[in-house]
Amino acid sequence: MVLAYHERTKHHFQRYAASPGYMDWATQPDPFRRYQGTDLVRLPLAKPGRPLPYWQLYALGDVSSEPLSLESISLFFRYALSLTAWKRFHDTTWSLRANPSSGNLHPTEGYAVLPAIDRLGEAPAVYHYAPEEHALERRAILDAKAWSELCAPFPEGYFLVGLSSVHWREAWKYGERAFRYCQHDAGHALATLRIAAAALGWGLVLLDGLGDGAIAGLLGLSRGDDYGTAEREEPELLALVTPALPSTFPRLLNELMTGGICAQWYGEANTLSPEHSANWPVIDEVAQATRRTASAVIAEDFSGFPTGEELFGIPVVRQGLLTAEQAILGRRSAVAMDGFTAISQEAFFRTLARLMPTRDRRSMPWDAIPWRPRIHLGLFVHRVEGVPRGLYALARDPDKLAPLKDVMRREFRWQRLPSCPPGLPLYLLQEGDCRALAATVSCGQSIAGDGAFSLGMIADYIDGLATYGAAFYRNLFWEAGMVGQVLYLEAEEAGIRSTGIGCYFDDPVHQVFGITSREWQSFYHFTVGGPVEDTRLTTLPAYDLEEQR
Ligand SMILES: Cc1cc2nc3c(=O)[nH]c(=O)nc-3n(C[C@H](O)[C@H](O)[C@H](O)COP(=O)(O)O)c2cc1C
């Protein structure tokens, strides 16, 4: 099912994946889910200007851990999933968020399971995050016994966050390919959650052994009556947030949550579209085929990975331009690239180094997921000072260098750059101007050719699926989304911008790199470069600060 879905949702030069082909504005989905009948707890907005430097997000252990409070939870959601601006053009306004989304449709919903916290709630509870209000909706009050059973395996001061997807929001515009975009968006959101936790000195790890039924049970997604005819949410993932960095990937009691936990539930979901103009049954089929049952926790060996020093060179970067808050809340997708801005070699290497897990498993956000990288990069370098133009490869798992060489074009050079840090597995494949080629394979989008560099993410597809089963299809997109989120923030720090590119021609990308085996598949594109601002738009603040303080 997964292989068939992936094949049929490829874009080809002569045929795009099945979609409505137009936007039916009358049925445009509401980007804001609300649960009517729940208590809404407003989260206080902190004064902007938190001084934590951006680079410190990656220096784990350096940021002192914030105590769990209404204020720290507020900051956590502010950095992870909140609105960051409203945009206006003539009579139309729309909001942007800390997490990006394909088509700005935002299929991802956020949840938290929190202990009793002063001014937030007197009892442990399940909350849904409402980004428009920057507030938490109390969906359920947990039985004290249920909470202490849930807590049992974990250190004190922990809480849980969860993500779900409303497929319809993406399917409304993108049709069958929408499932892929929902997964990318979930990956971006997993990264924003990890990064938000890092900004508060907290650890965050994905609870990967859990079944989807358990996640749905805990978050209330399986409560059919609460949805009525409203669009359902697909459980995606649950992560553990801890005051300190956990050294292992713990396991929740799956059985405890499947079938619902002992709690008093509140609220009914709002309907997002008055009707659904088209149905895409293949999305339900692939969702079903990739649902997870409880499984063994993934444990992979990272001893062959480089150290931080080997990746970044010495000294490891401990300075920069922005604060963490400026990078996180200021992040935006470029809508066009200027076609001339070049970036320095240092910024290029540092950005790529941030995409690598390290031997000690302490590189953020890669410490949140337990599997070795299955996403590698095929780069189109256009304008990086001192780096020849051309095609490059970054083998994000050093052990996959030989298989990548094997699967790609015979004539590629696989040459190291003299100035590249020793631990960064970056290789020049072929010199040349590939601006037109990059744009062509990105559905003709000029942003891919007009940036400093762009890239295709090449998934070690069958290896992932064969090792961990069909559910791992989602993990591949999550990993790609996480790579994208790091690129977004690194571009901000370098004074440029970035954009995720979900529209690309799958097989033509494989041809560029000479990949004929179906075992490796193109999973996502990205571009990084000097942006062109759209000066026709007015930018308005995300929230009325006075009202919320
Ligand atoms: C999975 C994904 C795919 C995307 N694909 C494209 C694309 O093909 N072309 C494009 O111009 N922007 C693309 N974007 C950027 C979105 O349009 C952008 O994130 C959204 O409009 C919200 O704006 P923001 O990122 O500034 O918050 C994509 C974003 C994501 C997360």
Side-chain angles (χ1 to χ4, degrees):
M1 177 63 220
V2 166
L3 303 191
Y5 171 79
H6 197 72
E7 280 303 314
R8 75 184 268 163
T9 54
K10 285 181 171 174
H11 287 330
H12 299 276
F13 282 141
Q14 67 287 9
R15 175 177 59 78
Y16 282 89
S19 77
Y22 69 101
M23 285 191 264
D24 176 14
W25 296 113
T27 61
Q28 186 186 15
D30 186 340
F32 302 116
R33 163 128 287 167
R34 289 294 309 273
Y35 287 90
Q36 279 120 19
T38 54
D39 280 342
L40 185 77
V41 186
R42 295 217 176 237
L43 299 171
L45 283 164
K47 270 208 181 78
R50 199 163 176 262
L52 180 77
Y54 169 74
W55 64 261
Q56 254 189 311
L57 289 175
Y58 302 92
L60 296 183
D62 259 30
V63 183
S64 58
S65 175
E66 293 282 341
L68 202 54
S69 67
L70 181 65
E71 283 70 26
S72 59
I73 289 293
S74 174
L75 214 46
F76 176 69
F77 278 105
R78 179 86 176 109
Y79 288 167
L81 301 173
S82 75
L83 304 192
T84 51
W86 284 91
K87 291 276 176 184
R88 181 186 294 155
F89 183 61
H90 295 314
D91 293 337
T92 313
T93 52
W94 64 96
S95 55
L96 299 174
R97 305 190 193 187
N99 54 318
S101 168
S102 184
N104 202 25
L105 294 162
H106 288 285
T108 314
E109 294 293 327
Y111 289 83
V113 185
L114 293 164
I117 293 175
D118 190 29
R119 290 170 294 133
L120 183 69
E122 286 166 9
V126 178
Y127 297 91
H128 168 248
Y129 178 63
E132 191 177 16
E133 294 79 8
H134 188 54
L136 289 172
E137 293 181 307
R138 194 178 295 111
R139 273 283 280 146
I141 296 181
L142 296 187
D143 191 275
K145 183 163 162 279
W147 175 255
S148 62
E149 280 174 356
L150 267 177
C151 283
F154 303 124
E156 191 137 321
Y158 89 99
F159 67 97
L160 298 168
V161 287
L163 296 177
S164 68
S165 297
V166 182
H167 293 147
W168 164 246
R169 285 208 184 105
E170 290 284 330
W172 169 75
K173 179 173 177 188
Y174 295 113
E176 292 194 348
R177 201 165 156 106
F179 181 77
R180 296 185 182 203
Y181 297 152
C182 289
Q183 300 308 317
H184 277 136
D185 283 12
H188 277 282
L190 175 58
T192 62
L193 289 169
R194 175 62 193 106
I195 291 162
L200 292 155
W202 298 341
L204 182 147
V205 288
L206 181 73
L207 290 165
D208 77 291
L210 279 180
D212 284 339
I215 299 177
L218 182 68
L219 304 181
L221 310 179
S222 50
R223 296 176 53 80
D225 287 353
D226 295 355
Y227 292 85
T229 55
E231 293 79 0
R232 297 297 290 263
E233 296 173 29
E234 175 73 17
E236 296 294 356
L237 57 90
L238 203 65
L240 177 74
V241 186
T242 56
L245 303 167
S247 51
T248 54
F249 282 78
R251 178 143 196 204
L252 262 191
L253 291 174
N254 205 73
E255 311 72 49
L256 204 68
M257 291 156 23
T258 314
I261 44 164
C262 210
Q264 177 69 46
W265 289 88
Y266 302 92
E268 282 175 15
N270 60 340
T271 299
L272 305 177
S273 291
E275 59 176 310
H276 292 194
S277 33
N279 276 319
W280 307 99
V282 76
I283 292 184
D284 297 333
E285 288 163 23
V286 72
Q288 174 66 43
T290 54
R291 264 176 215 143
R292 210 171 299 268
T293 46
S295 55
V297 175
I298 296 177
E300 296 197 341
D301 174 19
F302 286 77
S303 58
F305 279 68
T307 61
E309 285 77 13
E310 288 162 349
L311 271 176
F312 289 91
I314 300 171
V316 175
V317 193
R318 290 198 166 256
Q319 57 183 28
L321 279 180
L322 301 184
T323 64
E325 189 167 282
Q326 285 167 332
I328 290 169
L329 299 181
R331 181 209 64 78
R332 291 271 189 289
S333 292
V335 287
M337 295 291 186
D338 62 17
F340 60 83
T341 300
I343 59 164
S344 69
Q345 217 178 78
E346 292 70 36
F348 181 59
F349 292 147
R350 189 199 62 209
T351 297
L352 298 183
R354 291 263 192 253
L355 302 177
M356 295 284 300
T358 48
R359 191 178 305 162
D360 61 7
R361 300 287 287 106
R362 287 174 61 84
S363 74
M364 205 283 300
W366 309 112
D367 59 346
I369 53 172
W371 62 90
R372 289 162 62 132
R374 299 302 201 284
I375 297 289
H376 306 279
L377 306 188
L379 295 125
F380 303 84
V381 173
H382 311 314
R383 273 173 292 270
V384 180
E385 287 159 7
V387 174
R389 285 177 162 188
L391 292 181
Y392 288 76
L394 180 74
R396 290 183 59 248
D397 179 340
D399 276 1
K400 290 296 172 151
L401 181 59
L404 278 165
K405 279 184 178 169
D406 248 18
V407 82
M408 286 193 182
R409 225 172 261 295
R410 289 274 153 247
E411 59 270 28
F412 281 160
R413 281 159 59 182
W414 294 95
Q415 190 188 324
R416 298 275 301 155
L417 297 178
S419 47
C420 181
L424 189 64
L426 176 70
Y427 297 85
L428 168 64
L429 304 178
Q430 182 181 296
E431 264 188 67
D433 180 350
C434 48
R435 287 175 298 176
L437 180 65
T440 303
V441 293
S442 289
C443 292
Q445 301 186 77
S446 47
I447 42 172
D450 291 343
F453 68 96
S454 67
L455 55 94
M457 301 191 198
I458 312 288
D460 195 353
Y461 177 59
I462 295 298
D463 174 75
L465 297 179
T467 311
Y468 295 116
F472 201 76
Y473 187 53
R474 300 190 192 198
N475 300 47
L476 293 173
F477 286 105
W478 298 348
E479 187 185 324
M482 293 176 78
V483 166
Q485 196 59 28
V486 174
L487 289 171
Y488 266 126
L489 294 193
E490 281 295 299
E492 294 293 324
E493 169 70 0
I496 51 175
R497 287 244 137 102
S498 190
T499 305
I501 300 182
C503 188
Y504 57 85
F505 295 118
D506 300 67
D507 288 339
V509 178
H510 303 149
Q511 279 154 24
V512 169
F513 294 98
I515 298 171
T516 51
S517 158
R518 296 263 159 200
E519 303 212 346
W520 299 75
Q521 293 288 314
S522 168
F523 257 59
Y524 196 13
H525 276 204
F526 241 82
T527 180
V528 181
V532 182
E533 295 299 331
D534 188 342
T535 51
R536 298 166 307 163
L537 307 187
T538 312
T539 304
L540 305 162
Y543 302 103
D544 182 341
L545 289 183
E546 292 311 316
E547 197 181 288
Q548 293 221 247
R549 205 163 285 141

